[in-house]
Amino acid sequence: MAQNRPFLILMLLLAIVTPTIAPAQEESADERARKTEAQMTDDERFGLIHSLMIIVFTTGKRDERVPADVPQIAGWVKGVPRLGVPNLLLTDAGLGIGNPGGGRKGDTATASPSAQLVCATFNPALSREWGRILAREARARGFNVVLGGGMNLARDPRHGRNFEYFSEDPLLSALMASEQVLGTQGEGVMNMLKHVSLNSHETNKWFLDALIDPSAHRESELLAFQIGIERSEPGALMCAYNKINGAYACGSDPVLNGAIKKAIGFKGFIMSDWKAVYGWDFALKGLDQHSGVQLDEEEWFVGPLRQAYQEGKLPKERLSDMVRRILRSIYAIGIDKWSGPGPAPDMAAHHEAVVETARQGIVLLKNDGAILPLGGKRIALIGGQANIGAMGGGGGSSQVIPWKGHALEVALGGEGLLGGLRRMVLNGPAPLAELRKLLPEADIVFDSGEYPEQAAMQARRSDVAIVFANKFESEGFDSPSLALPYGQDALISAVAAANPNTVVVLQTGNPVSMPWRGKVKAIVQAWYAGLAGGQPIAEVLAGKVNPSGRLPMTFVASVAQTPHPKLAGYGAPDTTPITIKYHEGAEISYRWLARTGAKPNYAFGHGLSYTTFAYRGLKVQGGETVTATFTVTNTGRREGADVPQLYLAGGGETGRMRLLGFERVELKPGESKQVTLTADPRLLARFDGKAAQWRIAGGAYKIALSKAADAPVLIGEARMQPRLFGN
Ligand code: BGC
């Protein structure tokens, strides 16, 4: 030690005289937000906390406060140019960049498949790619905020917006939605998760009070938002139209301030849905930005909030917090760094991504006697305007004008604010043309399906009959029942009676009741394919693509199996206040059926393939959470993808059922892959409202490796340590 002393002294001297050359630390988004906010005037602050509609939906007039060069989009927020804070240009983007009312002449975009279809791929990489596509197409137009990320859980199979949402399961929805947000924000465009919370019912939604036990809420919708926020840090959240436990969602202190900001720790800002604010004091309850202010009874965050501020009712610190949250998201995502609109996107590549997503998300529900892929010389193709195109999407704010144009557009109309947005669209290419291309040897005849007798006659003359059945869904409306509209159930029954080799292709945004289920050989769930048209459906039918989609929703046999057989508010005049008590709490859909023992038509997670898969060697480890390892083998003769799913299937304190994890695995014939899945411990826990923490009861938990929620293959047991954790 002693002989090292001169050396140590030298090092010490060097350290003193050498200037620190550590890399300049970039200021965090929080610090930047704090500094900018401190320099702002109150006018600038109030400018940032509301958005204006450009052309007001209710009057059809342009708002003169919006600069003339801002195109028609969902909303515009005034930035602070002198401090480098950009204006925010908000565009709808659930299923592609929207163009409300076609106001931006000739501006078309890539229409994505429904979020349900994206989710049915169980392939997070495709959701991420979809997020990137949204970003590129938004950026090319100079739009820096996309209103994507439909995260509400599908609690009711009649809900008109389920097609915009990912699934009925908090984990699955959170994973898929957060990938979309990561994809978008990774390209420098702000994305969000919406609508907080319980936006699961369109009928009278503006007058709906959704009642739920707060702990069950944390275990369901709020857990989905929590995981989504943790994984992707969305710049914003959008709050919902409905009330939650008596308070409007956008003015709910326990949900916004309590759960989202305090407990979950969301650092971005919460914007309202358009026409969802009922007072300036929503700012005190956690709302940070009032959207489309012209739609509400008063422009609450413009005049009334300013007055409340002057009267000392809105503390300065809260106003600063609202502004800082918005600035933080701008800086964290980097939308202040844009030097102008982005380059023109490669629309052909975006189109190909949509087709690939649809290929992976189409679900083969039934395939008796391996009737698919199609064989046979003569095929009767019936109904669903399959001679024109495939269902493109549902109606409402998510509708997109595709760059290839619609093959067919039918204005269905209807009453109320959203009646005009109820437009059924079909996109090309037509399934008929695509099938003819893929099966040149076959003689394919088309019948419109208008008359069941006529269709049955064609079916009788053919080796195989394929019936396309369509059901349009839309924001603003729920379905009164699960029946197919326009007599399509009767059409399918007539065709199946005429030819036992009947295949049904469903293009719907929800499960349908399928009274003909036992009479047909195959059923294909094709959802809404966006811009992809009939190509992916034809590829699955003809066997060019091996189906691999899995159901992100339980296909119940009837609404009697759901916790709410009666559709709340149905038939009541528009402004009637209605209440739904979500007595099932967090036990939604497959979890509900696990409890009641009812058999659905097809369970959550179900989906067949043209090959077969086997599972072996399940090893389950407990402790603080569950880790499972197993091997999947393709035991058939075709290359294909499987989605092994891990469920909590009983035991513990509650004996409840939960999806704990999944992985999409692509395998060649004979190939095997070892998979390891680790559960988010919150899925094994109860939310203890009193302790405001998650509680795992110690003991043995039953863990199932399954093909679907109702199809366990291997069962393991995990011994869990009792613990209380997190918030
Ligand atoms: C929808 C939102 C949408 C907003 C703006 C509302 O009708 O509920 O999802 O983002 O309109 O267009």
Side-chain angles (χ1 to χ4, degrees):
M1 188 68 185
Q3 64 262 54
N4 277 343
R5 189 161 298 145
F7 175 73
L8 283 175
I9 292 170
L10 182 69
M11 292 305 287
L12 200 66
L13 278 173
L14 269 177
I16 292 166
V17 295
T18 313
T20 322
I21 44 167
Q25 276 270 310
E26 248 200 61
E27 265 186 332
S28 72
D30 283 304
E31 281 167 83
R32 289 186 64 199
R34 212 172 10 256
K35 282 192 185 157
T36 306
E37 193 277 334
Q39 297 171 59
M40 282 167 68
T41 64
D42 280 345
D43 276 349
E44 289 165 343
R45 292 189 177 96
F46 275 91
L48 211 53
I49 60 169
H50 72 272
S51 67
L52 292 169
M53 287 197 89
I54 290 66
I55 296 187
V56 184
F57 193 46
T58 41
T59 62
K61 295 215 174 81
R62 192 173 170 102
D63 193 310
E64 286 178 0
R65 289 170 291 182
V66 181
D69 62 347
V70 177
Q72 186 168 348
I73 43 175
W76 175 81
V77 178
K78 193 172 178 343
V80 189
R82 74 177 181 96
L83 297 173
V85 179
N87 297 330
L88 301 182
L89 280 83
L90 281 44
T91 176
D92 266 309
L95 306 178
I97 304 302
N99 181 354
R104 303 193 310 271
K105 291 267 167 299
D107 188 352
T108 58
T110 301
S112 107
S114 56
Q116 273 170 333
L117 189 158
V118 176
C119 195
T121 66
F122 278 65
N123 185 348
L126 290 176
S127 197
R128 183 165 303 208
E129 182 51 23
W130 175 241
R132 290 194 193 106
I133 291 174
L134 281 179
R136 288 184 214 121
E137 295 195 13
R139 201 158 176 162
R141 292 164 170 81
F143 305 160
N144 48 19
V145 182
V146 300
L147 312 174
M151 260 273 278
N152 293 96
L153 301 182
R155 279 187 179 258
D156 192 316
R158 292 159 297 196
H159 183 213
R161 293 190 84 171
N162 282 342
F163 74 94
E164 289 182 60
Y165 300 150
F166 287 94
S167 85
E168 66 188 28
D169 181 77
L171 174 71
L172 179 59
S173 290
L175 292 181
M176 298 302 276
S178 56
E179 286 301 314
Q180 190 204 95
V181 172
L182 285 166
T184 311
Q185 296 194 165
E187 302 265 334
V189 176
M190 194 186 302
N191 202 342
M192 60 165 45
L193 298 174
K194 70 185 186 185
H195 315 82
V196 191
S197 163
L198 290 163
N199 200 148
S200 301
H201 193 89
E202 287 301 287
T203 310
N204 270 9
K205 68 180 169 190
W206 279 289
F207 309 93
L208 163 67
D209 191 2
L211 305 181
I212 191 164
D213 167 64
S215 294
H217 196 195
R218 285 297 306 271
E219 292 169 8
S220 50
E221 273 81 358
L222 292 178
L223 179 58
F225 279 102
Q226 182 164 15
I227 298 175
I229 289 167
E230 288 164 358
R231 285 179 47 90
S232 63
E233 296 197 36
L237 300 182
M238 186 189 291
C239 50
Y241 284 124
N242 49 282
K243 290 180 180 170
I244 303 168
N245 294 334
Y248 280 105
C250 293
S252 169
D253 184 64
V255 174
L256 304 188
N257 277 336
I260 296 289
K261 290 184 177 172
K262 192 153 168 269
I264 295 173
F266 177 59
K267 295 203 175 85
F269 67 100
I270 301 176
M271 70 167 73
S272 64
D273 202 339
W274 274 238
K275 190 173 159 38
V277 181
Y278 296 87
W280 67 263
D281 61 331
F282 280 29
L284 301 178
K285 311 288 168 61
L287 180 65
D288 301 302
Q289 193 179 66
H290 181 181
S291 308
V293 288
Q294 307 99 317
L295 286 183
D296 286 295
E297 220 168 43
E298 295 228 32
E299 295 189 350
W300 294 109
F301 279 23
V302 183
L305 190 64
R306 188 101 195 221
Q307 197 180 331
Y309 176 63
Q310 273 147 14
E311 290 167 6
K313 293 183 193 149
L314 173 76
K316 166 72 185 17
E317 180 43 34
R318 172 62 187 133
L319 176 64
S320 298
D321 173 50
M322 294 159 82
V323 170
R324 282 196 298 256
R325 284 173 173 273
I326 298 166
L327 292 172
R328 179 193 192 278
S329 293
I330 292 173
Y331 296 145
I333 297 152
I335 63 179
D336 59 313
K337 303 222 171 73
W338 290 25
S339 53
D346 179 347
M347 298 304 272
H350 290 185
H351 175 237
E352 188 43 40
V354 168
V355 173
E356 183 53 29
T357 303
R359 285 182 184 125
Q360 294 190 25
I362 291 173
V363 185
L364 179 60
L365 295 175
K366 170 174 182 170
N367 193 19
D368 285 0
I371 189 170
L372 293 177
L374 283 173
K377 280 261 172 288
R378 193 179 155 98
I379 298 169
L381 189 62
I382 296 160
Q385 280 117 348
N387 58 328
I388 297 178
M391 289 286 281
S397 56
S398 68
Q399 260 189 354
V400 172
I401 307 178
W403 59 272
K404 295 197 308 176
H406 292 302
L408 179 73
E409 191 174 346
V410 184
L412 297 169
E415 297 306 319
L417 208 53
L418 298 167
L421 297 180
R422 204 172 178 183
R423 291 179 303 120
M424 187 187 81
V425 295
L426 295 184
N427 294 332
L432 175 61
E434 291 297 293
L435 272 178
R436 284 192 171 137
K437 213 156 65 187
L438 292 170
L439 301 170
E441 310 283 284
D443 174 16
I444 306 177
V445 281
F446 180 73
D447 182 278
S448 68
E450 287 163 276
Y451 299 103
E453 304 86 324
Q454 173 113 1
M457 188 180 71
Q458 287 294 3
R460 214 169 287 122
R461 291 179 183 159
S462 304
D463 300 318
V464 182
I466 308 172
V467 188
F468 273 64
N470 302 346
K471 186 174 182 197
F472 177 75
E473 304 278 355
S474 179
E475 180 177 345
F477 306 88
D478 295 313
S479 299
S481 79
L482 299 187
L484 282 166
Y486 308 123
Q488 293 174 102
D489 281 325
L491 170 69
I492 298 170
S493 296
V495 170
N499 188 334
N501 291 332
T502 293
V503 174
V504 176
V505 177
L506 293 169
Q507 300 188 85
T508 70
N510 267 316
V512 291
S513 45
M514 309 185 196
W516 32 261
R517 187 167 79 102
K519 308 257 168 54
V520 303
K521 286 257 168 74
I523 307 172
V524 175
Q525 178 61 36
W527 316 105
Y528 302 149
L531 203 57
Q535 182 188 342
I537 302 175
E539 288 175 348
V540 165
L541 293 174
K544 187 172 175 202
V545 164
N546 189 354
S548 60
R550 300 289 183 268
L551 288 182
M553 276 183 82
T554 305
F555 273 34
V556 287
S558 77
V559 286
Q561 294 186 332
T562 72
H564 304 277
K566 206 166 159 294
L567 187 72
Y570 183 65
D574 219 15
T575 52
T576 315
I578 61 168
T579 297
I580 303 179
K581 189 168 185 332
Y582 286 112
H583 59 87
E584 73 277 23
E587 307 313 300
I588 306 167
S589 302
Y590 72 84
R591 302 167 169 195
W592 180 252
L593 296 201
R595 193 178 257 201
T596 62
K599 286 263 349 130
N601 278 347
Y602 298 103
F604 173 84
H606 171 76
L608 304 174
S609 165
Y610 295 151
T611 186
T612 48
F613 299 95
Y615 306 154
R616 70 188 148 83
L618 174 67
K619 285 203 192 69
V620 176
Q621 208 191 315
E624 294 209 333
T625 189
V626 167
T627 300
T629 302
F630 53 89
T631 300
V632 191
T633 305
N634 181 343
T635 49
R637 283 191 298 244
R638 272 197 73 151
E639 186 170 353
D642 188 29
V643 184
Q645 300 150 42
L646 196 72
Y647 291 90
L648 166 65
E653 188 188 12
T654 57
R656 296 183 303 181
M657 185 157 188
R658 296 281 183 271
L659 175 71
L660 299 179
F662 62 88
E663 188 166 312
R664 193 187 141 90
V665 206
E666 311 244 355
L667 294 171
K668 299 211 166 56
E671 196 187 355
S672 295
K673 191 181 170 201
Q674 197 182 59
V675 177
T676 298
L677 298 172
T678 300
D680 183 318
R682 289 169 291 199
L683 296 165
L684 301 153
R686 284 210 81 113
F687 188 76
D688 179 335
K690 274 218 185 85
Q693 285 196 299
W694 299 89
R695 182 186 294 283
I696 294 186
Y701 285 61
K702 189 169 145 192
I703 305 298
L705 173 60
S706 308
K707 288 195 174 284
D710 68 348
V713 179
L714 299 172
I715 305 282
E717 192 185 90
R719 291 211 72 80
M720 302 304 300
Q721 282 167 16
R723 67 186 186 110
L724 197 63
F725 62 96
N727 49 5

